[in-house]
Amino acid sequence: MKKIVLYSFFFGMVLVPISLLAQGEPKDTLALAENKFETSFYESLKQKGIENYDKAIESLEKCQTLQSDNAVVYFELGKNYLALKKYKEAYDNFEKATKIDPKNRWAWVGMYDVCYETHDYNQSIIVVQKLIEFKSDYKEDLVSLYMNTQQFDKALDLINELNQTVGKSDKRELYKSDILRDAKYQGSEKANLIEQIKKNPKDEASYVALIYMYSQSNQEEKALEIAKQLETNIPTSDWAQVSLFKFHLNNNDGEKAVKSMNTVFASDKIDRKLKHRMLNEFLIFTKNNPQYEKDLDTAIGYFSDDKEVKVAKEIGKFYQSKKDWVKAIKYYEMHLKTTNDDMETILLLMQAYTENLQFDKLAKASDEQMQLFPTQPQLYYYNGLANNQLKNYKKAKDVLESGIDFVIDDKSLEINFNLQLGEAYNGLGDMKKKDLYFSKANTLIEKQKK
């Protein structure tokens, strides 16, 4: 909670005229009392200025004796006691000042200062409600106080009021988000948003918030109803298409889903994470409706500059997990056109070629990559494997013997190298070396089992 700071230093003072307090007294007596008061009061200001608060209080007590109903004296006493962290005395004196002069805003501020420093938030609420009569800015403080005292219903009402009267703020929106995590407050907020839409049908933010709330509570039909209402009232809104996209997917209407998706992906207003979620939903839809694969490829183009998520690569992984090697290969190749040094994707592509028995492509691709990355042993392995399958045994042997020297602390890869070398020598008719490498592979396998 950030408290509004409204301290003020009094360079003058408001005094109750002596003549009203002591009518009928001789003039010289009045003058003497007035001089004593002024002398003591200015002495208190001087002592407070040099942070000698105890001395300042002594002088103010003399003033109090002379003018017991002067609000300024009690206000100054409150300030000095507060400086000494004597909170009860400070609060009592500020309160006396407000009773004498209820319109003395600074005395109310002093009471708030005490409550704030002592973390007495419940009492702070009472004081701040009074301060709001002087200055409406204190409503911001009241929101924070309601949050601190867990009066979330009051906080939500006040947040909505301020949003309408002074506009939204990041702090209040954060508070509101926290409150609405509790389902019991969502009903009133939905009602509030519906009312806001009625009052201002061109306020896009209210539609978006309501659609989100309905979606979060699995009220998809109501979310769709609001999305359609948004599209009708604000035809240019991109947000309406977010909910309509999901509706079209659920209705198996691919054409309309694609149209909504492309509108959202082209929009600068929609968060990228939401776009990723939509793409994942469309990916699953495309798997069962392959006629929309071209639209999926087009959608990927919207994410070509995405540095956080490599979309084509992730789609390749999706298809690889489904053992759809043809599509996995397609998307890995698409990714490598823009990021040709991504070794993880290169090796995933090599494995996909292998699983799909595309040994010509595997031999050519691994050979090209070996020129770019001459110390990557996996590339030598895939090249050797491909040449063995193509019966290029001599080339397989040479490549595998060169690459095995780069294998470090990777027993599984070392086993595979030895197996492929055994295959190469078997193809070359050298049974002695075939047995040697198969034996090495078996020894390593036995060690791994232990």
Side-chain angles (χ1 to χ4, degrees), residues 30 35 169 181 198 227 245 323 339 371 395 410 420:
L30 291 174
N35 288 336
S169 74
R181 285 181 186 149
K198 286 179 181 176
F245 164 77
K323 300 189 184 305
T339 316
Q371 310 309 312
K395 185 170 184 180
D410 189 338
Q420 289 303 317

Side-chain angles (χ1 to χ4, degrees), residues 266-326:
S267 173
D268 293 330
K269 299 177 183 177
I270 312 298
D271 182 77
R272 191 172 285 268
K273 288 181 181 178
L274 183 56
K275 293 179 182 179
H276 285 151
R277 192 178 77 186
M278 290 177 66
L279 184 64
N280 286 336
E281 290 172 353
F282 190 68
L283 171 60
I284 295 167
F285 176 79
T286 304
K287 184 178 182 295
N288 300 320
N289 299 273
Q291 67 269 31
Y292 293 104
E293 193 172 311
K294 286 185 179 179
D295 296 297
L296 178 63
D297 295 348
T298 301
I300 291 170
Y302 288 108
F303 300 89
S304 59
D305 61 343
D306 194 327
K307 295 180 180 179
E308 294 182 13
V309 179
K310 305 304 180 185
V311 172
K313 175 180 177 179
E314 293 306 314
I315 291 177
K317 286 183 176 181
F318 169 81
Y319 280 119
Q320 184 150 343
S321 70
K322 306 296 181 184
K323 300 189 184 305
D324 189 335
W325 306 110
V326 173

Side-chain angles (χ1 to χ4, degrees), residues 226-366:
I226 300 302
K228 287 181 175 179
Q229 197 176 335
L230 171 57
E231 187 180 35
T232 300
N233 292 332
I234 312 177
T236 58
S237 172
D238 297 330
W239 279 102
Q241 302 306 319
V242 175
S243 291
L244 291 171
F245 164 77
K246 191 162 187 176
F247 173 74
H248 296 320
L249 284 187
N250 291 339
N251 279 2
N252 211 38
D253 190 337
E255 296 297 328
K256 289 183 179 179
V258 168
K259 184 178 178 182
S260 292
M261 178 179 68
N262 288 338
T263 299
V264 172
F265 287 177
S267 173
D268 293 330
K269 299 177 183 177
I270 312 298
D271 182 77
R272 191 172 285 268
K273 288 181 181 178
L274 183 56
K275 293 179 182 179
H276 285 151
R277 192 178 77 186
M278 290 177 66
L279 184 64
N280 286 336
E281 290 172 353
F282 190 68
L283 171 60
I284 295 167
F285 176 79
T286 304
K287 184 178 182 295
N288 300 320
N289 299 273
Q291 67 269 31
Y292 293 104
E293 193 172 311
K294 286 185 179 179
D295 296 297
L296 178 63
D297 295 348
T298 301
I300 291 170
Y302 288 108
F303 300 89
S304 59
D305 61 343
D306 194 327
K307 295 180 180 179
E308 294 182 13
V309 179
K310 305 304 180 185
V311 172
K313 175 180 177 179
E314 293 306 314
I315 291 177
K317 286 183 176 181
F318 169 81
Y319 280 119
Q320 184 150 343
S321 70
K322 306 296 181 184
K323 300 189 184 305
D324 189 335
W325 306 110
V326 173
K327 288 181 182 174
I329 288 166
K330 171 185 172 179
Y331 290 104
Y332 289 146
E333 289 177 341
M334 186 185 296
H335 170 67
L336 289 170
K337 285 179 182 177
T338 56
T339 316
N340 60 9
D341 60 348
D342 183 346
M343 184 53 63
E344 181 189 18
T345 305
I346 291 169
L347 296 179
L348 287 169
L349 178 60
M350 300 296 109
Q351 186 60 33
Y353 282 145
T354 303
E355 298 286 354
N356 208 42
L357 307 179
Q358 291 179 264
F359 298 115
D360 283 318
K361 277 196 168 184
L362 178 61
K364 182 181 178 184
S366 58

Side-chain angles (χ1 to χ4, degrees), residues 143-169:
V143 170
S144 296
L145 290 167
Y146 281 146
M147 293 299 294
N148 276 316
T149 54
Q150 299 185 6
Q151 298 182 64
F152 301 125
D153 50 347
K154 292 181 180 179
L156 186 58
D157 288 343
L158 186 52
I159 287 168
N160 287 332
E161 177 193 322
L162 289 169
N163 285 350
Q164 294 170 44
T165 55
V166 300
K168 295 180 180 179
S169 74

Side-chain angles (χ1 to χ4, degrees), residues 64-80:
Q64 184 186 356
T65 302
L66 294 166
Q67 293 187 14
S68 61
D69 58 351
N70 190 322
V72 177
V73 173
Y74 293 105
F75 173 73
E76 285 295 322
L77 279 166
K79 288 170 69 174
N80 282 280

